[in-house]
Amino acid sequence: MTNTTCPLCQTDGEDILFSNDLYRIIAVNDPAWPGFCRVILNRHATEMTDLPIEDRSALMKAVCVVESALRSLMQPTKINLASLGNVVPHVHWHIIPRWEGDTHFPDPIWATAKRPVSVTRPEPDRAALVKAITDSLG
């Protein structure tokens, strides 16, 4: 089931790293947050508990696979995982590499910046990221 007013039910223009019948993994491609990815449920549901346990488990496996790949490729200080849905009530997970000293650290990326950009972080190697995800999930 899709919701025509939900932006996460729309897939136009997404940078998809991996997809199956249940979910897709996208690169957010925000220069301020290199490596930022999302795991998005392919049907409209508001909460994880709206899903059968098998689907919840598969989504969490995908989140962990992306986290592991980003840790390996980028060596961040921390990975932030978030499933908020306050603005877009559609099951999705944010996977965000973070570095001590980034503009918002230790606060979430949605908070007010604490400092100006001092160090730019390179994007993860795209081919290596896709391979790591596909090898684990495909």
Side-chain angles (χ1 to χ4, degrees):
M1 170 178 65
T2 60
N3 178 329
T4 58
T5 62
C6 173
L8 293 181
C9 285
Q10 314 308 312
T11 60
D12 293 343
E14 287 183 332
D15 187 358
I16 298 174
L17 303 174
F18 179 87
S19 182
N20 63 24
D21 290 341
L22 182 62
Y23 59 82
R24 62 199 183 275
I25 300 169
I26 68 163
V28 175
N29 295 325
D30 182 339
W33 307 107
F36 185 171
C37 294
R38 281 192 196 106
V39 175
I40 304 170
L41 185 68
N42 284 335
R43 65 181 183 274
H44 193 83
T46 302
E47 306 295 348
M48 286 287 284
T49 53
D50 292 338
L51 308 176
I53 189 68
E54 298 81 14
D55 290 354
R56 286 184 246 165
S57 295
L59 278 173
M60 291 314 301
K61 178 180 179 182
V63 169
C64 291
V65 162
V66 174
E67 175 186 327
S68 181
L70 291 170
R71 287 182 69 198
S72 175
L73 293 168
M74 300 183 78
Q75 292 86 47
T77 304
K78 181 75 176 84
I79 295 277
N80 287 176
L81 302 177
S83 179
L84 306 170
N86 297 333
V87 176
V88 182
H90 178 128
V91 172
H92 65 287
W93 286 86
H94 302 271
I95 304 100
I96 311 158
R98 300 293 305 279
W99 287 269
E100 191 171 340
D102 73 30
T103 56
H104 292 65
F105 198 88
D107 292 342
I109 69 168
W110 299 284
T112 302
K114 292 180 166 294
R115 62 193 65 81
V117 175
S118 60
V119 176
T120 58
R121 302 289 181 189
E123 286 287 332
D125 178 284
R126 167 73 177 234
L129 179 59
V130 169
K131 181 176 179 358
I133 292 168
T134 302
D135 285 354
S136 295
L137 297 174

